[in-house]
Amino acid sequence: MGSASSMLTQYDIEEVQEHCNKLFSQQEIVSLYQRFCQLDRNAKGFISADEFLSVPEFAMNPLSQRLLKMVDGLNFKDFVAFLSTFSAKASLQQKIELIFKVYDSDCNGKVTFNNIIEVLKDLTGSFMSDKQREVLPLFPSYSVYHLSQSVMEQFYWAET
């Protein structure tokens, strides 16, 4: 599994299954490996930001630049682990952790009000003004203090 051009062994498939908490079947892992190899055009064993951006659906996602920070340079095992978050079988905790990482763009373990406004700006573009974004009732039960220092655990409980 070191090189993208090599074939997956049964051991490799089982190892990847364990790495993604068995959220994908063996056949799904083989299919994901084929897609990974297509994206890894230079057979380096990882996918670069440019290679991710070659996927039209990814490139046109308003959060693509935030997601690129998480996926640039992923090897196959980590690629599958990242994709497993989008599986219907993934836990709520896994999904919330990914969302938290999208908001926590400076990777300081906190989601601030400004982080939320930045994501809204990415999502709405020029369709909303900064003033409109700031008055949205995002978390009506949350005080401004909580929004200024929301750590992962608080973020999780606010979402459940």
Side-chain angles (χ1 to χ4, degrees), residues 98-113:
L98 176 71
I99 293 168
F100 184 86
K101 289 176 186 175
V102 168
Y103 280 89
D104 183 20
S105 60
D106 52 6
C107 302
N108 67 356
K110 297 177 182 176
V111 172
T112 65
F113 183 73

Side-chain angles (χ1 to χ4, degrees), residues 59-120:
M60 62 189 249
N61 184 317
L63 299 175
S64 64
Q65 293 305 309
R66 291 174 178 278
L67 293 170
L68 274 179
K69 292 178 184 177
M70 291 184 255
V71 300
D72 186 23
L74 290 183
N75 63 26
F76 178 64
K77 276 174 51 175
D78 293 334
F79 172 75
V80 173
F82 175 77
L83 291 179
S84 70
T85 307
F86 298 98
S87 167
K89 300 175 200 171
S91 70
L92 178 61
Q93 177 70 30
Q94 289 172 291
K95 292 176 186 296
I96 289 174
E97 285 173 9
L98 176 71
I99 293 168
F100 184 86
K101 289 176 186 175
V102 168
Y103 280 89
D104 183 20
S105 60
D106 52 6
C107 302
N108 67 356
K110 297 177 182 176
V111 172
T112 65
F113 183 73
N114 287 338
N115 292 138
I116 294 169
I117 295 299
E118 288 172 16
V119 170
L120 280 174

Side-chain angles (χ1 to χ4, degrees), residues 91-97 99 138-142 150-160:
S91 70
L92 178 61
Q93 177 70 30
Q94 289 172 291
K95 292 176 186 296
I96 289 174
E97 285 173 9
I99 293 168
L138 297 172
F139 300 102
S141 63
Y142 254 52
S150 183
V151 294
M152 181 62 204
E153 185 175 312
Q154 291 169 327
F155 191 82
Y156 176 77
W157 290 112
E159 296 296 314
T160 57

Side-chain angles (χ1 to χ4, degrees), residues 38-49:
Q38 290 171 347
L39 291 171
D40 182 17
R41 293 183 297 244
N42 297 322
K44 300 173 304 285
F46 64 89
I47 303 175
S48 69

Side-chain angles (χ1 to χ4, degrees), residues 17-30:
Q17 267 190 310
E18 289 297 321
H19 191 67
C20 72
N21 300 317
K22 297 189 179 188
L23 293 177
F24 292 118
S25 69
Q26 291 189 5
Q27 184 55 45
E28 289 170 322
I29 289 172
V30 170

